[in-house]
Amino acid sequence: MRPAGKSWEMSELLLLSGGIDSIALAAWRRPSVCLTIDYGQRPAQAELQASAQVCQDLGLRHEVLEAKIPGLGSGRLAGEAESPHSKHAEFWPFRNQYLITIASMMAMKTGCDTVTIGTVVTDRRHKDGSEAFLHYLRLVLLQQEGALGLQAPAANLTSEQLVRQSNVSPSVLAWAHSCHSGPLACGTCPGCQKHSEVMAALGWSR
Ligand SMILES: [Zn+2]
């Protein structure tokens, strides 16, 4: 639902982390703006670099924002003890809500009317990757000035299906940084494991 008089042509801002899913979405959706946020996560520099390369290759506008909250994180991404509130090593309380809020501010600033996020079906293991989370956050955004839309076009797709749908080239996807632990792929964290599994499923393993 868009306010009266507003174009039905969407102007999307994509949250681009530089991982497989958001890179595939950048290639598929060709958003008006891609935003990468350094929120104090350990792999931030590698994510920023991957995102910048992808945007350069795809000819997309790239914005970078520093909004560091390292002291509030938990688990692998923060280099802290894991949170007792989740059994997943990469859990960081309210992370997606925080990132979507910042992305919404940037969307208003850059004239975008929709925030696009790279949630895929396997992210449902986190409460902030669930359909309910998306539903309620969508309502929260719609309630406010700007009535921004929130979309997760790959919410029902696996990463492999998303990559195939996107037609992203192997050379662009090769920039993906998936490790949760730091700037160099550790090979063992859930992010690295997912990276290997998706590349193997696609037949793009090196
Ligand atoms: Zn890793």
Side-chain angles (χ1 to χ4, degrees):
M1 190 173 66
R2 305 243 58 86
K6 215 168 172 187
S7 165
W8 286 86
E9 180 84 14
M10 276 193 299
S11 176
E12 298 181 43
L13 179 144
L14 171 69
L15 256 179
L16 179 64
S17 72
I20 289 174
D21 303 329
S22 61
I23 290 176
L25 273 170
W28 176 15
R29 312 291 297 189
R30 300 204 59 82
S32 308
V33 178
C34 295
L35 173 65
T36 307
I37 303 172
D38 177 355
Y39 54 95
Q41 72 276 35
R42 286 168 81 195
Q45 280 314 310
E47 292 184 6
L48 294 183
Q49 206 173 352
S51 299
Q53 288 289 355
V54 165
C55 289
Q56 195 180 324
D57 283 8
L58 294 174
L60 297 172
R61 175 177 170 185
H62 188 217
E63 296 285 341
V64 173
L65 209 61
E66 209 176 89
K68 291 186 179 181
I69 45 162
L72 299 176
S74 61
R76 286 239 185 203
L77 281 164
E80 302 273 353
E82 290 179 22
S83 166
H85 296 285
S86 171
K87 61 178 189 220
H88 301 290
E90 71 277 22
F91 175 71
W92 180 315
F94 300 105
R95 186 189 70 136
N96 285 357
Q97 190 178 330
Y98 176 69
L99 296 179
I100 291 167
T101 299
I102 295 172
S104 302
M105 295 179 198
M106 183 61 90
M108 295 285 264
K109 181 91 180 171
T110 54
C112 293
D113 57 20
T114 304
V115 171
T116 302
I117 57 172
T119 299
V120 291
V121 75
T122 47
D123 291 325
R124 287 185 192 165
R125 69 187 187 279
H126 301 293
K127 296 227 166 139
D128 64 4
S130 68
E131 282 184 72
F133 172 81
L134 287 172
H135 172 72
Y136 288 118
L137 209 53
R138 210 169 262 142
L139 294 181
V140 167
L141 291 187
L142 267 181
Q143 279 297 323
Q144 296 175 78
E145 290 82 354
L148 294 180
L150 173 63
Q151 60 172 6
N156 295 313
L157 303 178
T158 64
S159 296
E160 182 196 345
Q161 288 169 334
L162 166 58
V163 169
R164 291 191 193 284
Q165 166 77 43
S166 72
N167 274 324
V168 66
S169 71
S171 65
V172 170
L173 199 66
W175 293 113
H177 183 81
S178 307
C179 185
H180 296 149
S181 304
L184 295 173
C186 72
T188 58
C189 76
C192 284
Q193 280 170 16
K194 171 183 163 172
H195 191 110
S196 305
E197 284 163 18
V198 174
M199 291 300 178
L202 290 163
W204 294 359
S205 299
R206 276 173 283 189

PDB file of all heavy atoms in Angstrom, residues 11-31:
ATOM      1  N   SER A  11      11.407   2.348  -5.632  1.00  0.00           N
ATOM      2  CA  SER A  11      12.790   2.773  -5.577  1.00  0.00           C
ATOM      3  C   SER A  11      13.404   2.086  -4.361  1.00  0.00           C
ATOM      4  O   SER A  11      13.108   2.436  -3.230  1.00  0.00           O
ATOM      5  CB  SER A  11      12.844   4.290  -5.443  1.00  0.00           C
ATOM      6  OG  SER A  11      14.168   4.707  -5.305  1.00  0.00           O
ATOM      7  N   GLU A  12      14.221   1.087  -4.624  1.00  0.00           N
ATOM      8  CA  GLU A  12      14.675   0.214  -3.539  1.00  0.00           C
ATOM      9  C   GLU A  12      16.035   0.594  -2.978  1.00  0.00           C
ATOM     10  O   GLU A  12      16.942   0.957  -3.719  1.00  0.00           O
ATOM     11  CB  GLU A  12      14.815  -1.242  -4.048  1.00  0.00           C
ATOM     12  CG  GLU A  12      13.549  -1.876  -4.524  1.00  0.00           C
ATOM     13  CD  GLU A  12      13.801  -3.324  -4.980  1.00  0.00           C
ATOM     14  OE1 GLU A  12      14.530  -4.067  -4.294  1.00  0.00           O
ATOM     15  OE2 GLU A  12      13.265  -3.687  -6.032  1.00  0.00           O
ATOM     16  N   LEU A  13      16.134   0.458  -1.679  1.00  0.00           N
ATOM     17  CA  LEU A  13      17.436   0.485  -1.015  1.00  0.00           C
ATOM     18  C   LEU A  13      17.696  -0.918  -0.500  1.00  0.00           C
ATOM     19  O   LEU A  13      16.893  -1.481   0.234  1.00  0.00           O
ATOM     20  CB  LEU A  13      17.447   1.485   0.147  1.00  0.00           C
ATOM     21  CG  LEU A  13      18.774   1.554   0.912  1.00  0.00           C
ATOM     22  CD1 LEU A  13      19.074   2.984   1.358  1.00  0.00           C
ATOM     23  CD2 LEU A  13      18.791   0.626   2.132  1.00  0.00           C
ATOM     24  N   LEU A  14      18.807  -1.493  -0.918  1.00  0.00           N
ATOM     25  CA  LEU A  14      19.146  -2.864  -0.506  1.00  0.00           C
ATOM     26  C   LEU A  14      20.198  -2.845   0.592  1.00  0.00           C
ATOM     27  O   LEU A  14      21.237  -2.189   0.454  1.00  0.00           O
ATOM     28  CB  LEU A  14      19.685  -3.650  -1.710  1.00  0.00           C
ATOM     29  CG  LEU A  14      20.279  -5.032  -1.387  1.00  0.00           C
ATOM     30  CD1 LEU A  14      19.192  -6.022  -0.953  1.00  0.00           C
ATOM     31  CD2 LEU A  14      21.052  -5.591  -2.590  1.00  0.00           C
ATOM     32  N   LEU A  15      19.926  -3.573   1.672  1.00  0.00           N
ATOM     33  CA  LEU A  15      20.947  -3.796   2.691  1.00  0.00           C
ATOM     34  C   LEU A  15      21.923  -4.837   2.148  1.00  0.00           C
ATOM     35  O   LEU A  15      21.575  -6.006   2.006  1.00  0.00           O
ATOM     36  CB  LEU A  15      20.281  -4.330   3.962  1.00  0.00           C
ATOM     37  CG  LEU A  15      20.089  -3.368   5.127  1.00  0.00           C
ATOM     38  CD1 LEU A  15      19.399  -4.093   6.280  1.00  0.00           C
ATOM     39  CD2 LEU A  15      21.378  -2.726   5.593  1.00  0.00           C
ATOM     40  N   LEU A  16      23.116  -4.387   1.838  1.00  0.00           N
ATOM     41  CA  LEU A  16      24.114  -5.252   1.188  1.00  0.00           C
ATOM     42  C   LEU A  16      25.225  -5.583   2.179  1.00  0.00           C
ATOM     43  O   LEU A  16      26.026  -4.712   2.533  1.00  0.00           O
ATOM     44  CB  LEU A  16      24.692  -4.526  -0.038  1.00  0.00           C
ATOM     45  CG  LEU A  16      25.764  -5.264  -0.835  1.00  0.00           C
ATOM     46  CD1 LEU A  16      25.222  -6.531  -1.476  1.00  0.00           C
ATOM     47  CD2 LEU A  16      26.351  -4.341  -1.909  1.00  0.00           C
ATOM     48  N   SER A  17      25.260  -6.842   2.600  1.00  0.00           N
ATOM     49  CA  SER A  17      26.295  -7.233   3.569  1.00  0.00           C
ATOM     50  C   SER A  17      27.550  -7.748   2.880  1.00  0.00           C
ATOM     51  O   SER A  17      28.582  -7.925   3.520  1.00  0.00           O
ATOM     52  CB  SER A  17      25.758  -8.333   4.499  1.00  0.00           C
ATOM     53  OG  SER A  17      25.653  -9.550   3.768  1.00  0.00           O
ATOM     54  N   GLY A  18      27.415  -8.017   1.572  1.00  0.00           N
ATOM     55  CA  GLY A  18      28.566  -8.580   0.868  1.00  0.00           C
ATOM     56  C   GLY A  18      28.613 -10.098   0.959  1.00  0.00           C
ATOM     57  O   GLY A  18      29.604 -10.708   0.585  1.00  0.00           O
ATOM     58  N   GLY A  19      27.545 -10.712   1.468  1.00  0.00           N
ATOM     59  CA  GLY A  19      27.434 -12.168   1.472  1.00  0.00           C
ATOM     60  C   GLY A  19      26.687 -12.640   0.228  1.00  0.00           C
ATOM     61  O   GLY A  19      26.207 -11.823  -0.572  1.00  0.00           O
ATOM     62  N   ILE A  20      26.583 -13.954   0.088  1.00  0.00           N
ATOM     63  CA  ILE A  20      25.986 -14.552  -1.117  1.00  0.00           C
ATOM     64  C   ILE A  20      24.570 -14.018  -1.385  1.00  0.00           C
ATOM     65  O   ILE A  20      24.246 -13.618  -2.508  1.00  0.00           O
ATOM     66  CB  ILE A  20      25.928 -16.091  -0.949  1.00  0.00           C
ATOM     67  CG1 ILE A  20      27.341 -16.662  -1.031  1.00  0.00           C
ATOM     68  CG2 ILE A  20      25.026 -16.720  -2.013  1.00  0.00           C
ATOM     69  CD1 ILE A  20      27.407 -18.157  -0.723  1.00  0.00           C
ATOM     70  N   ASP A  21      23.743 -14.000  -0.352  1.00  0.00           N
ATOM     71  CA  ASP A  21      22.329 -13.669  -0.559  1.00  0.00           C
ATOM     72  C   ASP A  21      22.133 -12.219  -1.003  1.00  0.00           C
ATOM     73  O   ASP A  21      21.396 -11.946  -1.959  1.00  0.00           O
ATOM     74  CB  ASP A  21      21.530 -13.936   0.724  1.00  0.00           C
ATOM     75  CG  ASP A  21      21.665 -15.377   1.186  1.00  0.00           C
ATOM     76  OD1 ASP A  21      21.827 -16.256   0.314  1.00  0.00           O
ATOM     77  OD2 ASP A  21      21.623 -15.628   2.401  1.00  0.00           O
ATOM     78  N   SER A  22      22.793 -11.297  -0.318  1.00  0.00           N
ATOM     79  CA  SER A  22      22.565  -9.890  -0.679  1.00  0.00           C
ATOM     80  C   SER A  22      23.235  -9.534  -2.009  1.00  0.00           C
ATOM     81  O   SER A  22      22.745  -8.671  -2.742  1.00  0.00           O
ATOM     82  CB  SER A  22      22.976  -8.945   0.459  1.00  0.00           C
ATOM     83  OG  SER A  22      24.334  -9.060   0.773  1.00  0.00           O
ATOM     84  N   ILE A  23      24.333 -10.211  -2.343  1.00  0.00           N
ATOM     85  CA  ILE A  23      24.955  -9.972  -3.658  1.00  0.00           C
ATOM     86  C   ILE A  23      24.010 -10.444  -4.771  1.00  0.00           C
ATOM     87  O   ILE A  23      23.798  -9.748  -5.768  1.00  0.00           O
ATOM     88  CB  ILE A  23      26.320 -10.690  -3.768  1.00  0.00           C
ATOM     89  CG1 ILE A  23      27.353 -10.009  -2.870  1.00  0.00           C
ATOM     90  CG2 ILE A  23      26.806 -10.696  -5.226  1.00  0.00           C
ATOM     91  CD1 ILE A  23      28.706 -10.705  -2.847  1.00  0.00           C
ATOM     92  N   ALA A  24      23.430 -11.623  -4.572  1.00  0.00           N
ATOM     93  CA  ALA A  24      22.481 -12.137  -5.575  1.00  0.00           C
ATOM     94  C   ALA A  24      21.299 -11.178  -5.720  1.00  0.00           C
ATOM     95  O   ALA A  24      20.836 -10.897  -6.836  1.00  0.00           O
ATOM     96  CB  ALA A  24      22.002 -13.530  -5.183  1.00  0.00           C
ATOM     97  N   LEU A  25      20.843 -10.626  -4.596  1.00  0.00           N
ATOM     98  CA  LEU A  25      19.723  -9.685  -4.664  1.00  0.00           C
ATOM     99  C   LEU A  25      20.108  -8.403  -5.393  1.00  0.00           C
ATOM    100  O   LEU A  25      19.298  -7.823  -6.121  1.00  0.00           O
ATOM    101  CB  LEU A  25      19.235  -9.344  -3.251  1.00  0.00           C
ATOM    102  CG  LEU A  25      18.205 -10.320  -2.694  1.00  0.00           C
ATOM    103  CD1 LEU A  25      17.974 -10.054  -1.222  1.00  0.00           C
ATOM    104  CD2 LEU A  25      16.882 -10.215  -3.453  1.00  0.00           C
ATOM    105  N   ALA A  26      21.351  -7.941  -5.183  1.00  0.00           N
ATOM    106  CA  ALA A  26      21.810  -6.733  -5.882  1.00  0.00           C
ATOM    107  C   ALA A  26      21.763  -6.953  -7.389  1.00  0.00           C
ATOM    108  O   ALA A  26      21.322  -6.089  -8.146  1.00  0.00           O
ATOM    109  CB  ALA A  26      23.222  -6.372  -5.422  1.00  0.00           C
ATOM    110  N   ALA A  27      22.211  -8.147  -7.825  1.00  0.00           N
ATOM    111  CA  ALA A  27      22.215  -8.455  -9.260  1.00  0.00           C
ATOM    112  C   ALA A  27      20.796  -8.613  -9.801  1.00  0.00           C
ATOM    113  O   ALA A  27      20.499  -8.203 -10.925  1.00  0.00           O
ATOM    114  CB  ALA A  27      23.017  -9.732  -9.504  1.00  0.00           C
ATOM    115  N   TRP A  28      19.933  -9.194  -9.010  1.00  0.00           N
ATOM    116  CA  TRP A  28      18.546  -9.485  -9.433  1.00  0.00           C
ATOM    117  C   TRP A  28      17.703  -8.206  -9.448  1.00  0.00           C
ATOM    118  O   TRP A  28      17.057  -7.880 -10.454  1.00  0.00           O
ATOM    119  CB  TRP A  28      17.954 -10.514  -8.470  1.00  0.00           C
ATOM    120  CG  TRP A  28      16.515 -10.855  -8.701  1.00  0.00           C
ATOM    121  CD1 TRP A  28      15.757 -10.580  -9.812  1.00  0.00           C
ATOM    122  CD2 TRP A  28      15.649 -11.529  -7.776  1.00  0.00           C
ATOM    123  NE1 TRP A  28      14.473 -11.047  -9.631  1.00  0.00           N
ATOM    124  CE2 TRP A  28      14.385 -11.636  -8.397  1.00  0.00           C
ATOM    125  CE3 TRP A  28      15.823 -12.061  -6.493  1.00  0.00           C
ATOM    126  CZ2 TRP A  28      13.296 -12.239  -7.762  1.00  0.00           C
ATOM    127  CZ3 TRP A  28      14.748 -12.671  -5.869  1.00  0.00           C
ATOM    128  CH2 TRP A  28      13.490 -12.757  -6.505  1.00  0.00           C
ATOM    129  N   ARG A  29      17.730  -7.466  -8.346  1.00  0.00           N
ATOM    130  CA  ARG A  29      16.817  -6.331  -8.184  1.00  0.00           C
ATOM    131  C   ARG A  29      17.355  -5.032  -8.769  1.00  0.00           C
ATOM    132  O   ARG A  29      16.596  -4.107  -9.012  1.00  0.00           O
ATOM    133  CB  ARG A  29      16.509  -6.115  -6.697  1.00  0.00           C
ATOM    134  CG  ARG A  29      16.120  -7.362  -5.947  1.00  0.00           C
ATOM    135  CD  ARG A  29      14.783  -7.894  -6.359  1.00  0.00           C
ATOM    136  NE  ARG A  29      13.716  -6.954  -6.073  1.00  0.00           N
ATOM    137  CZ  ARG A  29      12.431  -7.240  -6.173  1.00  0.00           C
ATOM    138  NH1 ARG A  29      12.066  -8.450  -6.566  1.00  0.00           N
ATOM    139  NH2 ARG A  29      11.516  -6.342  -5.917  1.00  0.00           N
ATOM    140  N   ARG A  30      18.666  -4.926  -8.884  1.00  0.00           N
ATOM    141  CA  ARG A  30      19.320  -3.688  -9.320  1.00  0.00           C
ATOM    142  C   ARG A  30      18.720  -2.480  -8.576  1.00  0.00           C
ATOM    143  O   ARG A  30      18.105  -1.589  -9.180  1.00  0.00           O
ATOM    144  CB  ARG A  30      19.215  -3.502 -10.842  1.00  0.00           C
ATOM    145  CG  ARG A  30      19.879  -4.659 -11.598  1.00  0.00           C
ATOM    146  CD  ARG A  30      20.301  -4.277 -12.991  1.00  0.00           C
ATOM    147  NE  ARG A  30      21.245  -3.166 -13.035  1.00  0.00           N
ATOM    148  CZ  ARG A  30      22.560  -3.308 -12.849  1.00  0.00           C
ATOM    149  NH1 ARG A  30      23.085  -4.482 -12.621  1.00  0.00           N
ATOM    150  NH2 ARG A  30      23.337  -2.263 -12.895  1.00  0.00           N
ATOM    151  N   PRO A  31      18.923  -2.437  -7.264  1.00  0.00           N
ATOM    152  CA  PRO A  31      18.335  -1.386  -6.439  1.00  0.00           C
ATOM    153  C   PRO A  31      18.929  -0.006  -6.745  1.00  0.00           C
ATOM    154  O   PRO A  31      20.028   0.088  -7.300  1.00  0.00           O
ATOM    155  CB  PRO A  31      18.708  -1.813  -5.006  1.00  0.00           C
ATOM    156  CG  PRO A  31      19.924  -2.664  -5.165  1.00  0.00           C
ATOM    157  CD  PRO A  31      19.761  -3.374  -6.477  1.00  0.00           C
TER     158      PRO A  31
END
